[in-house]
Amino acid sequence: MRRPATALLTLLIALAALLTGPGTAPARAATSHRPVILVHGYNADPGVWGGLDARLRAAGYAEGEIFRWGYDTHRSVNEVLAGRFAAYVDEVRRTTGAERVDVVAHSFGSLPTRWYVKYGGGTATVAHWISLAGPNHGTSVAWACALWDQACRDMTPGSWVQNRLAEGDETPGPVTHTTFWSGCDEVIDPDTSVPLTGATNIAAGCLDHNALLGDEGVGRGVVAALTSA
């Protein structure tokens, strides 16, 4: 005679578990991080991010919150790379369920990601965009390879890509823009190419171009920028 009551109790417990489960989701979300996408520079690969990856993990980022985008650095910023990056952002958002992502780009990687933010819909999907030694207004060093390489042409001062990125608001939408630049950067010439109007522009001291990738102070600054409101 008591079996129906037992079955009812079991059903109620199961229903309670289902109702309680979603109620705990906000607490989990509050302790997680937005996915961060690390984008390497010209003639490099995703392996350059070992130092910052370790620093992010030490700051509490989990395996599924750090992504590295690898790409052919000899292709056009606007015609090819920005679109491919857009597809990668969509993939990360689908995988993680996140509404927005954060982006940290080194050197040339700043250009396709910035183009995506400004012209590819990224103002709706990117929360923080951070540039380490990016040729954001071009670098004269790129003239050395501009004759045969489209990416180098895009990096030259006064190129079509540079002029389009400089038009209007350099830091559009609700995206938080941050740049790190060095007064001893041998690749970005002039050094003043990196800072953007409307961004938080941070002087990293006297560091070589690639040294910004592993510098402790820059790493701390990146983590601080990513975890800011």
Side-chain angles (χ1 to χ4, degrees):
M1 294 294 291
R2 294 185 178 181
R3 286 180 182 175
T6 302
L8 179 60
L9 179 60
T10 301
L11 178 60
L12 290 173
I13 292 172
L15 287 172
L18 288 172
L19 292 173
T20 303
T24 62
R28 287 197 298 271
T31 59
S32 63
H33 302 88
R34 272 184 303 272
V36 56
I37 301 175
L38 308 178
V39 181
H40 62 79
Y42 185 75
N43 269 349
D45 60 62
V48 301
W49 292 110
L52 184 58
D53 187 292
R55 187 165 295 279
L56 289 169
R57 292 174 191 273
Y61 278 77
E63 175 74 24
E65 295 174 331
I66 305 172
F67 297 83
R68 305 186 193 188
W69 184 51
Y71 63 103
D72 181 354
T73 64
H74 303 285
R75 306 301 295 273
S76 166
V77 165
N78 59 307
E79 295 175 343
V80 178
L81 297 180
R84 291 183 180 176
F85 182 67
Y88 188 77
V89 170
D90 288 343
E91 179 184 341
V92 170
R93 293 172 63 225
R94 282 194 300 269
T95 300
T96 62
E99 182 179 352
R100 290 177 177 266
V101 301
D102 291 333
V103 177
V104 181
H106 178 244
S107 193
F108 175 70
S110 301
L111 298 186
T113 57
R114 188 173 156 221
W115 189 281
Y116 166 67
V117 169
K118 187 162 185 172
Y119 295 115
T123 54
T125 59
V126 175
H128 293 84
W129 177 88
I130 300 175
S131 170
L132 309 182
N136 295 317
H137 297 99
T139 173
S140 63
V141 174
W143 286 113
C145 51
L147 183 63
W148 64 85
D149 191 282
Q150 180 60 50
C152 288
R153 287 192 287 275
D154 290 344
M155 283 190 282
T156 57
S159 70
W160 189 83
V161 165
Q162 292 292 340
N163 289 340
R164 286 282 283 145
L165 286 172
E167 288 179 359
D169 190 352
E170 288 194 324
T171 54
V175 182
T176 300
H177 289 72
T178 306
T179 75
F180 290 82
W181 63 278
S182 166
C184 300
D185 193 327
E186 77 284 7
V187 173
I188 305 302
D189 182 27
D191 302 330
T192 53
S193 173
V194 181
L196 295 170
T197 301
T200 298
N201 301 298
I202 301 172
C206 186
L207 297 173
D208 291 345
H209 186 67
N210 289 330
L212 276 81
L213 287 163
D215 182 74
E216 182 178 350
V218 172
R220 285 197 304 267
V222 169
V223 172
L226 289 174
T227 53
S228 64

